[in-house]
Amino acid sequence: LISSTSHWRRIHQIPSEIPTLTSILLVSLCNLAVPRETALLRITLDSHEVFPVKLGATVAIKSCTGMVKDETRIYVLCADAEVRSYLAVLNLGDLSPVYFQHLPEIIDGHSVLVHHDRLFIASSGNDALISYEIFKDRVGNPRLEWSIPDHSGTHHDTHHVNSVALWKGDIVFSAFGLRTGQTWSTAVNGYIYNLSQGVMLTEKIYQPHSLKEWAGNLYYCESARARIASLSSAAWEIGDYTRGLDFI
């Protein structure tokens, strides 16, 4: 399916499930063995070619993770080898870099959301949801929207906040919850929290990921149970560790 071409690759066969209504697919890469100038790829679906996307980065990039777009721009979370967090902002039209900014408040950013001219980031490494005001040439005025009440600024990943999304106009996020042992496999009481309303939506989820609203319902991966679930309908089994979902 994929063959090496220098550092990057060419895809010889695009799965038929990918919709033909789009011509470009952006893919972020995480935990590169050797940091590079980018960890974001553009796949041109008609020619099956893969190209690196310049981020305007001032450091070598080890990971790109969550990304989101608004009407004119794409916002991409990045990290270097020392796990310092950055935001790369690209023009939506031609993917040219707009700016590249260090985000010292973020540790291991996983997911990102644009809402009411603010950028919301799930910061897994310090159990926080942090937002920034969006300006033309930067983001600023960071605001701590939520964190573990007894966290005390220790900068540890104890609940693994990992996904932020909109549901019925409210901001919601998911987290693994506390571990009962040394590994994340013991975190069996994951949850989804409605930040806007200040209420818990559901608990006892085994490693939730990738919140997505569809037709008024909120769907998510229950990764460690290898299934897709929602707030109001029965889960269905996938058979492997589910990590991301979307409706097309």
mmCIF file of all heavy atoms in Angstrom, residues 27-41 55 57 59-67 76-88 100 108-110:
data_model
loop_
_atom_site.group_PDB
_atom_site.id
_atom_site.type_symbol
_atom_site.label_atom_id
_atom_site.label_comp_id
_atom_site.label_asym_id
_atom_site.label_seq_id
_atom_site.Cartn_x
_atom_site.Cartn_y
_atom_site.Cartn_z
ATOM 1 N N VAL A 27 -2.706 14.421 7.315
ATOM 2 C CA VAL A 27 -2.431 13.373 8.285
ATOM 3 C C VAL A 27 -1.304 13.850 9.200
ATOM 4 O O VAL A 27 -0.239 14.264 8.730
ATOM 5 C CB VAL A 27 -2.011 12.060 7.602
ATOM 6 C CG1 VAL A 27 -1.654 11.003 8.643
ATOM 7 C CG2 VAL A 27 -3.123 11.556 6.691
ATOM 8 N N SER A 28 -1.540 13.797 10.506
ATOM 9 C CA SER A 28 -0.488 14.153 11.458
ATOM 10 C C SER A 28 0.240 12.887 11.900
ATOM 11 O O SER A 28 -0.361 11.816 12.022
ATOM 12 C CB SER A 28 -1.071 14.887 12.666
ATOM 13 O OG SER A 28 -1.994 14.082 13.364
ATOM 14 N N LEU A 29 1.534 13.036 12.156
ATOM 15 C CA LEU A 29 2.378 11.925 12.575
ATOM 16 C C LEU A 29 2.864 12.181 13.999
ATOM 17 O O LEU A 29 3.235 13.307 14.348
ATOM 18 C CB LEU A 29 3.588 11.776 11.648
ATOM 19 C CG LEU A 29 3.282 11.632 10.160
ATOM 20 C CD1 LEU A 29 4.584 11.543 9.367
ATOM 21 C CD2 LEU A 29 2.422 10.406 9.889
ATOM 22 N N CYS A 30 2.893 11.137 14.807
ATOM 23 C CA CYS A 30 3.249 11.275 16.211
ATOM 24 C C CYS A 30 4.469 10.420 16.531
ATOM 25 O O CYS A 30 4.629 9.317 15.989
ATOM 26 C CB CYS A 30 2.055 10.853 17.072
ATOM 27 S SG CYS A 30 2.235 11.214 18.815
ATOM 28 N N ASN A 31 5.338 10.945 17.389
ATOM 29 C CA ASN A 31 6.497 10.203 17.891
ATOM 30 C C ASN A 31 7.424 9.717 16.776
ATOM 31 O O ASN A 31 7.757 8.528 16.690
ATOM 32 C CB ASN A 31 6.047 9.025 18.757
ATOM 33 C CG ASN A 31 5.302 9.458 19.997
ATOM 34 O OD1 ASN A 31 5.617 10.495 20.588
ATOM 35 N ND2 ASN A 31 4.292 8.701 20.392
ATOM 36 N N LEU A 32 7.838 10.642 15.916
ATOM 37 C CA LEU A 32 8.813 10.304 14.892
ATOM 38 C C LEU A 32 10.112 9.830 15.532
ATOM 39 O O LEU A 32 10.536 10.363 16.567
ATOM 40 C CB LEU A 32 9.109 11.516 14.012
ATOM 41 C CG LEU A 32 7.957 12.078 13.173
ATOM 42 C CD1 LEU A 32 8.415 13.331 12.437
ATOM 43 C CD2 LEU A 32 7.438 11.041 12.182
ATOM 44 N N ALA A 33 10.744 8.836 14.930
ATOM 45 C CA ALA A 33 12.009 8.328 15.464
ATOM 46 C C ALA A 33 13.084 9.406 15.439
ATOM 47 O O ALA A 33 13.910 9.504 16.354
ATOM 48 C CB ALA A 33 12.453 7.098 14.666
ATOM 49 N N VAL A 34 13.067 10.211 14.382
ATOM 50 C CA VAL A 34 14.010 11.326 14.242
ATOM 51 C C VAL A 34 13.189 12.586 13.996
ATOM 52 O O VAL A 34 12.458 12.662 13.002
ATOM 53 C CB VAL A 34 14.995 11.091 13.085
ATOM 54 C CG1 VAL A 34 15.933 12.283 12.937
ATOM 55 C CG2 VAL A 34 15.795 9.810 13.310
ATOM 56 N N PRO A 35 13.271 13.604 14.857
ATOM 57 C CA PRO A 35 12.524 14.844 14.630
ATOM 58 C C PRO A 35 12.893 15.489 13.292
ATOM 59 O O PRO A 35 14.043 15.437 12.857
ATOM 60 C CB PRO A 35 12.950 15.729 15.810
ATOM 61 C CG PRO A 35 13.329 14.761 16.879
ATOM 62 C CD PRO A 35 13.972 13.608 16.151
ATOM 63 N N ARG A 36 11.900 16.096 12.642
ATOM 64 C CA ARG A 36 12.090 16.694 11.314
ATOM 65 C C ARG A 36 11.496 18.090 11.306
ATOM 66 O O ARG A 36 11.013 18.585 12.320
ATOM 67 C CB ARG A 36 11.421 15.831 10.251
ATOM 68 C CG ARG A 36 11.867 14.371 10.252
ATOM 69 C CD ARG A 36 11.029 13.543 9.289
ATOM 70 N NE ARG A 36 11.302 12.122 9.404
ATOM 71 C CZ ARG A 36 10.544 11.172 8.892
ATOM 72 N NH1 ARG A 36 9.442 11.496 8.242
ATOM 73 N NH2 ARG A 36 10.861 9.906 9.030
ATOM 74 N N GLU A 37 11.509 18.703 10.132
ATOM 75 C CA GLU A 37 10.946 20.049 10.037
ATOM 76 C C GLU A 37 9.426 20.028 10.078
ATOM 77 O O GLU A 37 8.789 21.059 10.301
ATOM 78 C CB GLU A 37 11.423 20.733 8.764
ATOM 79 C CG GLU A 37 10.940 20.075 7.474
ATOM 80 C CD GLU A 37 11.364 20.838 6.236
ATOM 81 O OE1 GLU A 37 11.923 21.940 6.391
ATOM 82 O OE2 GLU A 37 11.134 20.336 5.118
ATOM 83 N N THR A 38 8.830 18.871 9.883
ATOM 84 C CA THR A 38 7.375 18.751 9.950
ATOM 85 C C THR A 38 6.979 17.322 10.283
ATOM 86 O O THR A 38 7.742 16.370 10.045
ATOM 87 C CB THR A 38 6.720 19.164 8.624
ATOM 88 O OG1 THR A 38 5.290 19.176 8.778
ATOM 89 C CG2 THR A 38 7.091 18.214 7.489
ATOM 90 N N ALA A 39 5.803 17.189 10.855
ATOM 91 C CA ALA A 39 5.202 15.868 11.075
ATOM 92 C C ALA A 39 3.758 15.891 10.579
ATOM 93 O O ALA A 39 2.889 15.223 11.117
ATOM 94 C CB ALA A 39 5.273 15.485 12.542
ATOM 95 N N LEU A 40 3.542 16.695 9.530
ATOM 96 C CA LEU A 40 2.221 16.813 8.907
ATOM 97 C C LEU A 40 2.351 16.510 7.426
ATOM 98 O O LEU A 40 3.238 17.049 6.750
ATOM 99 C CB LEU A 40 1.664 18.224 9.109
ATOM 100 C CG LEU A 40 0.235 18.473 8.615
ATOM 101 C CD1 LEU A 40 -0.768 17.686 9.455
ATOM 102 C CD2 LEU A 40 -0.093 19.960 8.659
ATOM 103 N N LEU A 41 1.484 15.637 6.923
ATOM 104 C CA LEU A 41 1.535 15.218 5.524
ATOM 105 C C LEU A 41 0.257 15.611 4.800
ATOM 106 O O LEU A 41 -0.827 15.597 5.365
ATOM 107 C CB LEU A 41 1.703 13.700 5.417
ATOM 108 C CG LEU A 41 2.938 13.089 6.070
ATOM 109 C CD1 LEU A 41 2.960 11.586 5.857
ATOM 110 C CD2 LEU A 41 4.218 13.727 5.535
ATOM 111 N N LEU A 55 5.480 23.841 8.245
ATOM 112 C CA LEU A 55 4.785 24.407 9.391
ATOM 113 C C LEU A 55 5.310 25.779 9.781
ATOM 114 O O LEU A 55 4.746 26.418 10.671
ATOM 115 C CB LEU A 55 4.919 23.465 10.598
ATOM 116 C CG LEU A 55 4.372 22.037 10.417
ATOM 117 C CD1 LEU A 55 4.738 21.188 11.619
ATOM 118 C CD2 LEU A 55 2.860 22.068 10.214
ATOM 119 N N ALA A 57 8.091 25.982 11.248
ATOM 120 C CA ALA A 57 8.625 25.652 12.559
ATOM 121 C C ALA A 57 10.031 26.203 12.740
ATOM 122 O O ALA A 57 10.849 26.198 11.814
ATOM 123 C CB ALA A 57 8.627 24.138 12.760
ATOM 124 N N VAL A 59 11.812 24.904 15.316
ATOM 125 C CA VAL A 59 12.453 23.782 16.005
ATOM 126 C C VAL A 59 12.155 22.518 15.203
ATOM 127 O O VAL A 59 11.250 22.494 14.364
ATOM 128 C CB VAL A 59 11.924 23.627 17.448
ATOM 129 C CG1 VAL A 59 12.253 24.848 18.283
ATOM 130 C CG2 VAL A 59 10.416 23.356 17.453
ATOM 131 N N ALA A 60 12.928 21.453 15.472
ATOM 132 C CA ALA A 60 12.635 20.160 14.864
ATOM 133 C C ALA A 60 11.403 19.563 15.544
ATOM 134 O O ALA A 60 11.269 19.606 16.767
ATOM 135 C CB ALA A 60 13.823 19.224 15.004
ATOM 136 N N ILE A 61 10.517 19.018 14.735
ATOM 137 C CA ILE A 61 9.233 18.524 15.225
ATOM 138 C C ILE A 61 9.275 17.000 15.383
ATOM 139 O O ILE A 61 9.640 16.280 14.463
ATOM 140 C CB ILE A 61 8.103 18.918 14.256
ATOM 141 C CG1 ILE A 61 8.014 20.433 14.135
ATOM 142 C CG2 ILE A 61 6.777 18.327 14.711
ATOM 143 C CD1 ILE A 61 7.705 21.150 15.430
ATOM 144 N N LYS A 62 8.876 16.543 16.556
ATOM 145 C CA LYS A 62 8.783 15.105 16.806
ATOM 146 C C LYS A 62 7.369 14.587 16.608
ATOM 147 O O LYS A 62 7.165 13.449 16.197
ATOM 148 C CB LYS A 62 9.254 14.771 18.220
ATOM 149 C CG LYS A 62 9.307 13.277 18.519
ATOM 150 C CD LYS A 62 9.907 12.998 19.882
ATOM 151 C CE LYS A 62 9.932 11.502 20.180
ATOM 152 N NZ LYS A 62 10.808 10.765 19.246
ATOM 153 N N SER A 63 6.369 15.437 16.900
ATOM 154 C CA SER A 63 4.978 14.998 16.795
ATOM 155 C C SER A 63 4.073 16.131 16.347
ATOM 156 O O SER A 63 4.285 17.288 16.730
ATOM 157 C CB SER A 63 4.455 14.498 18.155
ATOM 158 O OG SER A 63 5.104 13.339 18.585
ATOM 159 N N CYS A 64 3.092 15.790 15.544
ATOM 160 C CA CYS A 64 1.895 16.603 15.358
ATOM 161 C C CYS A 64 0.724 15.735 15.799
ATOM 162 O O CYS A 64 0.700 14.529 15.541
ATOM 163 C CB CYS A 64 1.719 17.031 13.904
ATOM 164 S SG CYS A 64 2.863 18.317 13.355
ATOM 165 N N THR A 65 -0.229 16.349 16.486
ATOM 166 C CA THR A 65 -1.351 15.562 17.006
ATOM 167 C C THR A 65 -2.667 16.141 16.499
ATOM 168 O O THR A 65 -2.997 16.011 15.331
ATOM 169 C CB THR A 65 -1.288 15.505 18.546
ATOM 170 O OG1 THR A 65 -1.168 16.843 19.079
ATOM 171 C CG2 THR A 65 -0.121 14.674 19.012
ATOM 172 N N GLY A 66 -3.425 16.805 17.372
ATOM 173 C CA GLY A 66 -4.738 17.294 16.970
ATOM 174 C C GLY A 66 -4.671 18.476 16.028
ATOM 175 O O GLY A 66 -3.724 19.265 16.038
ATOM 176 N N MET A 67 -5.690 18.594 15.191
ATOM 177 C CA MET A 67 -5.812 19.749 14.297
ATOM 178 C C MET A 67 -7.277 20.079 14.101
ATOM 179 O O MET A 67 -8.149 19.222 14.250
ATOM 180 C CB MET A 67 -5.109 19.495 12.966
ATOM 181 C CG MET A 67 -5.671 18.384 12.136
ATOM 182 S SD MET A 67 -4.734 18.149 10.590
ATOM 183 C CE MET A 67 -4.011 16.541 10.872
ATOM 184 N N VAL A 76 -2.732 23.410 14.105
ATOM 185 C CA VAL A 76 -2.134 22.094 14.310
ATOM 186 C C VAL A 76 -1.299 22.113 15.586
ATOM 187 O O VAL A 76 -0.425 22.976 15.758
ATOM 188 C CB VAL A 76 -1.230 21.702 13.117
ATOM 189 C CG1 VAL A 76 -0.714 20.270 13.295
ATOM 190 C CG2 VAL A 76 -1.986 21.843 11.793
ATOM 191 N N LEU A 77 -1.544 21.159 16.485
ATOM 192 C CA LEU A 77 -0.735 21.012 17.685
ATOM 193 C C LEU A 77 0.539 20.245 17.359
ATOM 194 O O LEU A 77 0.499 19.220 16.679
ATOM 195 C CB LEU A 77 -1.506 20.263 18.772
ATOM 196 C CG LEU A 77 -2.761 20.944 19.313
ATOM 197 C CD1 LEU A 77 -3.431 20.046 20.355
ATOM 198 C CD2 LEU A 77 -2.429 22.297 19.916
ATOM 199 N N CYS A 78 1.670 20.745 17.863
ATOM 200 C CA CYS A 78 2.973 20.139 17.585
ATOM 201 C C CYS A 78 3.777 20.021 18.871
ATOM 202 O O CYS A 78 3.496 20.700 19.863
ATOM 203 C CB CYS A 78 3.771 20.982 16.590
ATOM 204 S SG CYS A 78 2.908 21.443 15.083
ATOM 205 N N ALA A 79 4.820 19.176 18.845
ATOM 206 C CA ALA A 79 5.729 19.055 19.975
ATOM 207 C C ALA A 79 7.122 18.738 19.461
ATOM 208 O O ALA A 79 7.289 18.098 18.413
ATOM 209 C CB ALA A 79 5.266 17.970 20.941
ATOM 210 N N ASP A 80 8.147 19.184 20.214
ATOM 211 C CA ASP A 80 9.520 18.852 19.853
ATOM 212 C C ASP A 80 9.990 17.658 20.673
ATOM 213 O O ASP A 80 9.208 17.044 21.417
ATOM 214 C CB ASP A 80 10.436 20.072 20.022
ATOM 215 C CG ASP A 80 10.517 20.569 21.479
ATOM 216 O OD1 ASP A 80 10.107 19.831 22.395
ATOM 217 O OD2 ASP A 80 10.992 21.706 21.670
ATOM 218 N N ALA A 81 11.256 17.321 20.559
ATOM 219 C CA ALA A 81 11.783 16.135 21.236
ATOM 220 C C ALA A 81 11.763 16.275 22.747
ATOM 221 O O ALA A 81 11.753 15.272 23.470
ATOM 222 C CB ALA A 81 13.196 15.845 20.752
ATOM 223 N N GLU A 82 11.747 17.521 23.249
ATOM 224 C CA GLU A 82 11.677 17.758 24.691
ATOM 225 C C GLU A 82 10.235 17.905 25.169
ATOM 226 O O GLU A 82 9.972 18.323 26.289
ATOM 227 C CB GLU A 82 12.474 19.009 25.057
ATOM 228 C CG GLU A 82 13.981 18.814 25.066
ATOM 229 C CD GLU A 82 14.548 18.646 23.662
ATOM 230 O OE1 GLU A 82 14.105 19.390 22.765
ATOM 231 O OE2 GLU A 82 15.400 17.763 23.471
ATOM 232 N N VAL A 83 9.285 17.575 24.303
ATOM 233 C CA VAL A 83 7.851 17.608 24.583
ATOM 234 C C VAL A 83 7.369 19.028 24.891
ATOM 235 O O VAL A 83 6.374 19.225 25.588
ATOM 236 C CB VAL A 83 7.460 16.628 25.718
ATOM 237 C CG1 VAL A 83 5.966 16.272 25.628
ATOM 238 C CG2 VAL A 83 8.257 15.343 25.652
ATOM 239 N N ARG A 84 8.078 20.031 24.383
ATOM 240 C CA ARG A 84 7.544 21.386 24.427
ATOM 241 C C ARG A 84 6.464 21.510 23.362
ATOM 242 O O ARG A 84 6.600 20.962 22.263
ATOM 243 C CB ARG A 84 8.653 22.411 24.199
ATOM 244 C CG ARG A 84 9.635 22.536 25.360
ATOM 245 C CD ARG A 84 10.653 23.623 25.081
ATOM 246 N NE ARG A 84 11.546 23.229 24.006
ATOM 247 C CZ ARG A 84 12.808 22.853 24.182
ATOM 248 N NH1 ARG A 84 13.325 22.827 25.403
ATOM 249 N NH2 ARG A 84 13.561 22.514 23.146
ATOM 250 N N SER A 85 5.417 22.239 23.679
ATOM 251 C CA SER A 85 4.249 22.308 22.803
ATOM 252 C C SER A 85 4.240 23.574 21.969
ATOM 253 O O SER A 85 4.641 24.650 22.435
ATOM 254 C CB SER A 85 2.965 22.234 23.639
ATOM 255 O OG SER A 85 2.868 20.997 24.302
ATOM 256 N N TYR A 86 3.739 23.444 20.749
ATOM 257 C CA TYR A 86 3.680 24.553 19.802
ATOM 258 C C TYR A 86 2.359 24.497 19.047
ATOM 259 O O TYR A 86 1.704 23.453 18.974
ATOM 260 C CB TYR A 86 4.841 24.479 18.792
ATOM 261 C CG TYR A 86 6.202 24.493 19.429
ATOM 262 C CD1 TYR A 86 6.788 23.309 19.864
ATOM 263 C CD2 TYR A 86 6.899 25.683 19.608
ATOM 264 C CE1 TYR A 86 8.041 23.311 20.463
ATOM 265 C CE2 TYR A 86 8.162 25.699 20.198
ATOM 266 C CZ TYR A 86 8.717 24.513 20.620
ATOM 267 O OH TYR A 86 9.954 24.520 21.219
ATOM 268 N N LEU A 87 2.023 25.637 18.448
ATOM 269 C CA LEU A 87 0.867 25.722 17.569
ATOM 270 C C LEU A 87 1.347 26.197 16.207
ATOM 271 O O LEU A 87 1.974 27.251 16.093
ATOM 272 C CB LEU A 87 -0.163 26.708 18.123
ATOM 273 C CG LEU A 87 -1.412 26.926 17.269
ATOM 274 C CD1 LEU A 87 -2.283 25.669 17.268
ATOM 275 C CD2 LEU A 87 -2.210 28.127 17.767
ATOM 276 N N ALA A 88 1.059 25.410 15.178
ATOM 277 C CA ALA A 88 1.329 25.812 13.792
ATOM 278 C C ALA A 88 0.004 26.213 13.164
ATOM 279 O O ALA A 88 -0.961 25.451 13.208
ATOM 280 C CB ALA A 88 1.970 24.671 13.014
ATOM 281 N N PHE A 100 3.951 30.307 13.791
ATOM 282 C CA PHE A 100 4.325 29.138 14.593
ATOM 283 C C PHE A 100 4.650 29.658 15.978
ATOM 284 O O PHE A 100 5.486 30.543 16.134
ATOM 285 C CB PHE A 100 5.546 28.451 13.974
ATOM 286 C CG PHE A 100 5.958 27.176 14.663
ATOM 287 C CD1 PHE A 100 5.319 25.982 14.376
ATOM 288 C CD2 PHE A 100 7.007 27.170 15.575
ATOM 289 C CE1 PHE A 100 5.703 24.804 14.997
ATOM 290 C CE2 PHE A 100 7.394 26.000 16.197
ATOM 291 C CZ PHE A 100 6.749 24.818 15.912
ATOM 292 N N ASP A 108 1.831 18.142 26.334
ATOM 293 C CA ASP A 108 1.285 16.987 25.612
ATOM 294 C C ASP A 108 -0.147 17.251 25.142
ATOM 295 O O ASP A 108 -1.081 16.530 25.493
ATOM 296 C CB ASP A 108 1.348 15.735 26.486
ATOM 297 C CG ASP A 108 1.095 14.453 25.696
ATOM 298 O OD1 ASP A 108 1.184 14.493 24.451
ATOM 299 O OD2 ASP A 108 0.807 13.409 26.325
ATOM 300 N N GLY A 109 -0.309 18.283 24.331
ATOM 301 C CA GLY A 109 -1.616 18.601 23.780
ATOM 302 C C GLY A 109 -2.113 17.500 22.862
ATOM 303 O O GLY A 109 -1.375 17.012 22.013
ATOM 304 N N HIS A 110 -3.358 17.116 23.024
ATOM 305 C CA HIS A 110 -3.921 16.015 22.243
ATOM 306 C C HIS A 110 -4.967 16.462 21.227
ATOM 307 O O HIS A 110 -4.986 15.978 20.099
ATOM 308 C CB HIS A 110 -4.562 14.983 23.179
ATOM 309 C CG HIS A 110 -3.642 13.911 23.628
ATOM 310 N ND1 HIS A 110 -2.414 14.162 24.202
ATOM 311 C CD2 HIS A 110 -3.761 12.552 23.605
ATOM 312 C CE1 HIS A 110 -1.823 13.012 24.499
ATOM 313 N NE2 HIS A 110 -2.629 12.020 24.146
#
